[in-house]
Amino acid sequence: MKTIQTDVAVIGAGTAGLAAYRAAIAAGKRAVIIEGGAYGTTCARVGCMPSKLLIAAAEAAHEARHTAAFGVHVDGPVRIDGREVMARVRSERDRFVGFVVRGVENIPESDRLLGHAQFIDNTILQVGADTTVRASRVVIATGSRPAVPKAFDVFGDRLIINDDVFAWEDLPRSVAVFGPGVIGLELGQALSRLGVRVRVFGVSGSVGPLSDPAIRAYATQAFNREFSLLPDVRVSDMRREGDEAVITFEDADGTVVTERFAYVLAATGRRPNVDKLALENTALALDARGVPVFDPVTLQCGDAPVFIAGDANDVLPLLHEAADEGRVAGENAASWPQVRPLARRAPLAVVFSDPQIAMVGQRFADLTPGSFVTGEVSFEDQGRSRVMLKNRGLMHVYADRATGRFLGAEWMGPRAENIAHLLAWAYQQGLTIAQMLAMPFYHPVVEEGLRTALRDADARLTQLKQAA
């Protein structure tokens, strides 16, 4: 049995864990990083990057099918080679993972421990069968994994998660997707555009991260022009027959339908990877999910020298948030018992569908009714969007009635990923609608649609002042 003494032990070598380790080292502390699986972040291996590779192939296929409206005619049908598509996805995915792995391998070998960590007490860890780590502080950065309802077990090996999609060597003929969240929408639309028969099932009416009913309804209609999206469906039977998943459900018009699929993709959320850490051996209070109760501002678990960052705490499971949280968790672990608050950036979320979906700042659902005005724009007649035949979308921007300050936005529309950054910067700077309208807008650009929504909000604010 080997014993290692260290100032900070970081469990998990993903985005948050690597940031925590580097922050602790930069603060002059001795630190070790422990990984129980293969190196490579969720983003690089099974998340952001491979999904965008699949989406890029899908967009290429979609654009090739829709050139005639420009007077550009491609002879013959578009041919999609599923094996070539997936070969590029896997190859480029492995390249991105390689960058991460090389970064981890640059960490001194003495600071890297391979093996599953379990708590013996608050700051003593058992790693594998032969190593004990005695730390002064611990950072939990173990990430998350897909959460699959038990009822889906009936599908056996016809049931997959997003991790499995990126290991495919060829595209299947059909997939049922459960969960119209970010993962379900992105993969569902991409597979549909690549020639896979797709149905996306939901149970609560949600569509991506949207909370504004008007934007959610618009998005539902937009997606249903390409593939079947049933955001609030009643499924009466699920079973497996041979090599097929069989699902009976009520269609949009109430008709009972039974369909067969090659696979069922469960995109039904994620759960923190904390259940195998033996947290019961610590004095930490745990919530209903088994996650240590922590301060979301300092990331400290109770009053113990234990911190939790990234997807493991499930506050904002996004790469840039995980990196920020990991850095602050590492700094606070290094400086404990002195800790400092995490200054969070402007809330920002993007779904890489087509049209894209984005949210910035405060959600519609979190705003107090009567305290704000809504500015609106449709992208259907927006100049640059129509030129590119990308003229689908609806945007709402929210402004405080009393101060005119920009509060947030939810929308579906072209180039939302770019517009979202402009709005996130404006929100983080605390700008008013008037100050945003004083900024330059070039012509002709998609951002002129944003200006229209801001002008609409400004007009509503002016009406309120005149009526007062």
Side-chain angles (χ1 to χ4, degrees), residues 48 84 92 100 141 257 268 291 296 359 403 407 416 429 465:
C48 322
E84 292 181 6
E92 287 295 304
V100 178
V257 178
T268 45
V291 176
M359 292 178 59
T403 65
L407 297 176
Q429 294 294 321
K465 289 179 182 178

Side-chain angles (χ1 to χ4, degrees), residues 235-250:
V235 175
S236 56
D237 184 59
M238 301 190 301
R239 64 186 186 275
R240 175 178 170 167
E241 291 183 3
D243 286 335
E244 293 182 315
V246 183
I247 302 172
T248 301
F249 60 95
E250 288 187 9

